[in-house]
Amino acid sequence: MSDHRLPRTAIPHRYDLRLAPDLEEFTFDGKVKIALEVPNDTDRLVLNAIELTIQEATIENEGGKRRTAAVTYDQAHQRVSLRFDRPIGPGNYILRIRFTGTLNDQLHGFYRSTFTDTEGNERVVALTQFESTDARRCFPCWDEPEYKAVFGAKLHVEPGLAAFSNGPEIRRKHLDNGKIKITFGDTMKMSTYLVAFVVGPLEATEPQDVNGVPVRIAHPIGKGHLTGWAEEMGAWALDWLTDYYGIPYPGDKVDHVAVPDFAFGAMENLGCITYRETALLLDPETTGQYEKRRIADVIAHELAHMWFGDLVTMKWWNGIWLNEAFASFMEMKAVDAKHPEWDRWLSFAADPGASRAGALVVDALAASRPVEFEVGSPEEADEMFDALTYGKGSAVVRMIEQFIGEEQFRTGVGQYLRDHAYANTETSDLWAALDGASEWPVGEIMDTWILQEGYPLLEVRRSDRGIKLSQRRNLLIPDEEDQTLWQVPVQLKYAVDGEVHEAKHLLTGADAELDLGDVDWVVANAGGHGFYRVAYAPDLLEALVGVVSDLSTLERFTLVDDAAALAVSGDNDLASWFRLAEGYRGESTQQIWQMLIGHLAQVDDIVPEDLRPAFARRVSELLGDVADRLGTEPVEGEDELDTLLRGQVLTALGVIADDEDIVTFAARNLERVLEDFTSFDPDVTSAIIQVSGAHASVATTERLLAAHETAPTAQLAQQLLAAAARSRIPTGAETVVDACIDGPVRKQDSAWVMARTLRSQHARRAAWTRIRSRFTEMLAGLPPMTQRHLADGMAAVSEDDLGRDIEAFLAETPMPSATKAVAQSLERMRANVRFAEREKPGLSDLLG
């Protein structure tokens, strides 16, 4: 593993880059001049390069004497060696390299992206995505985060094309070959993975001044009308984050750049942040509340990185979790500060994917991993970008912030950033700063959450003195031999003789008895910010049900969410969860209903056909009150979360409960929506599209796929793809899979769309059969960073025979870029099979 780290033959201090991309031939040529220091006698310099052809490399000493290097490639380690005829001694040198490369279509390195403009012409954009280890695909460099340097850049571009990089444009010059040389200002000292270039038919908004920093939104031509929300959020978040950190923004400008194809949601390149269109541009007439919030989240997340990640950077990729976790944490704080009515921390608990909810599922697996672990290869670095890095990492940061106090936490973070500005750190450096700002042993606590996988299940019962807390590892497939323990920062809320009290306790052993007195009730995750599950003894659970309306929204959320998770693992049963959930019929909170609907969908997957009508009635009864309250049309002045909830409830009634009225409503209005996406409120539009997709004929599935190609916004295109993937007809699912492999589905979307086909109980066998039959071809076309999304779809399978077939196939035909994700998904699949086998026999009585 360690042999992937470069030998320390030189220390770069400055790069001067010149790149000339050819957007017709999909190639580029370049020159780089690197000012570096050689610490010891050496006859070679070793740096990173892959998929580049080096035409010449020379080194010049301080006296001006040049020597030419012989070039040797090491493809396996993505390196190049520059050998000299005799050793060069310690000192400062200038290394010059000429090279060529290809604008690839794999969404990494220096790559190409295409879109159709407003006149129907296909246009090409050349852009970069370097994190984790892909700067080496664009120019030879010391491509490890600890090798920080200053970067200067020049781009040679065709007239009429826009160009963006990290620094501001400082001059233009017309060249004899007809191109324009654009020179950009120097960056601060930073890591290679943060360098960025974008060239193509793009436009930019007029700059806004935010504390002296110009801020723009760049976008494909013709999409300037979609930038308003990003302009507002980008300016606000930059100002708020500057104030929170107490440190000026470390760059000279901020360009938020929307591009057609992107493997991630966005990338925190200093001063030149790149985004998927869905994460930056929106039409308020057709975009729902969820997408609006997501754009606010992503902008705040990327701007938070400008300090935490760009200004202060991890020494090695094992620390990348902290960059992403802290940025995720800060996005919540920023968005919550701007829109407190959104209750952003509650949404963090409810949203699937890279959030607290998604992380609790993945981290309940034996195949989980520590948040921080040793990283040796580029593939291992890439696999860190998952629910554990983002979701668990940010959740435990929030947990410790709430435990030690927000002001103490902020003080420690500010000190950390000031102490390590422009440098590299280990995780322990942050813990040391927080230790110094609080009375709690933050480093000791956090090491148990970061350096070992999993999280605890806290069992709570009465004792003679008050209550007894016990911890054991929470697993979807329980293992009594696992003795892992955590230092658990427990926040408690309890009542004695009707009087409510609060307390904190650091649980460091397997159990502890707390002298609280004869409690009426107790909440062992007060505030709901602890990253753990709680199982209450029956009498304490009954007591909590009696006062559930007095609990905070997050406390109500975790109570029923934990019960559902414990039903899947077998620590509880489905009947108990249903009894608890039915007590929430009068609930009005969007995020709680979102969570309940998610659990109902998981149950729906194991319900046999003969019991589906009974289950549908149960779902309709549970959702009845909230559905009646919200109706199918918005009310002027209503809460934005009610607007979002309406769409979610309509979708659940149409997809899970197969409500005849909702299915008919959707079918009747689908064509109207496809002809005019402003016909309904955006969240109702989303419900119409999703319900129609679930009940679609093959012709309707094909119609949805065709409509996604001409959708006026990227958000609508994704909605249409998601709906097409809901097909319950085997031929429809096969059609969607083929569209992902052959087109027209974009490569950035193919993996998650195919994963959606595997989540359909009705058509997943056909979808898997088609994926399996075209697996080699499919995998070759998927960008490496997106392959884990396909693995996620396999986790939904609950049929034993199908699960065994998938597992056997992947044992023989692995997915090298998603090794960990596959192992985790297969274990989740086995847990689902166990859940189905355990609960199916009792469903008849439960639903009867």
Side-chain angles (χ1 to χ4, degrees), residues 787-835:
Q787 291 177 18
R788 68 168 61 92
H789 302 309
L790 176 59
D792 288 343
M794 301 170 190
V797 171
S798 59
E799 299 88 355
D800 181 53
D801 62 326
L802 180 57
R804 284 187 280 106
D805 182 71
I806 292 173
E807 195 156 359
F809 179 82
L810 291 176
E812 297 294 327
T813 316
M815 297 173 65
S817 296
T819 302
K820 195 65 176 177
V822 167
Q824 292 166 349
S825 292
L826 293 180
E827 185 179 345
R828 288 175 63 188
M829 181 176 68
R830 290 191 291 271
N832 281 336
V833 170
R834 286 166 55 96
F835 173 54

Side-chain angles (χ1 to χ4, degrees), residues 5 28 43 83 107 296 426 456 495 521 611 636 643 670 742 776:
R5 295 199 192 210
F28 63 92
D43 65 350
R83 293 186 177 272
L107 311 188
E426 303 280 5
W521 51 264
L611 291 177
E636 186 174 353
T643 306
L670 177 62
D742 302 325
T776 301

Side-chain angles (χ1 to χ4, degrees), residues 250-283:
D252 295 319
K253 54 92 175 176
V254 179
D255 287 330
H256 301 273
V257 186
V259 296
D261 295 287
F262 205 67
F264 293 90
M267 176 62 207
E268 66 269 19
N269 314 301
L270 179 77
C272 184
I273 306 171
T274 42
Y275 297 78
R276 282 191 181 204
E277 288 187 32
T278 54
L280 190 66
L281 307 179
L282 69 78
D283 179 353

Side-chain angles (χ1 to χ4, degrees), residues 516-539:
L516 304 182
D518 186 12
V519 298
D520 304 331
W521 51 264
V522 61
V523 176
N525 190 0
H529 299 292
F531 190 77
Y532 49 82
R533 300 285 190 192
V534 181
Y536 295 95
D539 60 324

Side-chain angles (χ1 to χ4, degrees), residues 7 16 211 329 336 518 543 628 683 686 720 796:
D16 285 289
N211 304 318
F329 166 81
D336 192 55
D518 186 12
D628 290 343
D683 288 288
S686 176
L720 292 160

Side-chain angles (χ1 to χ4, degrees), residues 721-750:
L721 286 175
R726 288 184 183 272
S727 176
R728 298 179 178 182
I729 300 173
T731 307
E734 293 166 350
T735 299
V736 173
V737 171
D738 289 340
C740 291
I741 298 173
D742 302 325
V745 178
R746 287 182 176 272
K747 289 188 175 184
Q748 67 174 10
D749 298 316
S750 293

Side-chain angles (χ1 to χ4, degrees), residues 300-364:
H301 180 104
E302 303 308 324
L303 286 171
H305 272 306
M306 301 297 106
W307 291 265
F308 215 102
D310 293 10
L311 179 65
V312 179
T313 312
M314 68 277 165
K315 285 185 178 179
W316 184 244
W317 297 112
N318 63 300
I320 201 168
W321 79 269
L322 188 55
N323 279 10
E324 297 302 339
F326 198 87
S328 297
F329 166 81
M330 288 303 297
E331 89 184 43
M332 306 298 165
K333 289 191 75 72
V335 174
D336 192 55
K338 181 168 174 57
H339 287 286
E341 72 278 9
W342 290 357
D343 205 347
R344 191 63 191 88
W345 287 109
L346 183 56
S347 298
F348 175 59
D351 289 346
S355 63
R356 179 183 183 273
L360 283 169
V361 173
V362 174
D363 209 28

Side-chain angles (χ1 to χ4, degrees), residues 652-688:
L653 287 171
V655 174
I656 302 175
D658 293 334
D659 183 284
E660 187 175 341
D661 291 338
I662 301 300
V663 173
T664 301
F665 169 75
R668 188 173 63 243
N669 288 292
L670 177 62
E671 279 303 320
R672 179 182 170 189
V673 163
L674 295 181
E675 291 172 6
D676 179 7
F677 288 102
T678 65
S679 300
F680 294 88
D681 167 80
D683 288 288
V684 175
T685 293
S686 176
I688 290 170

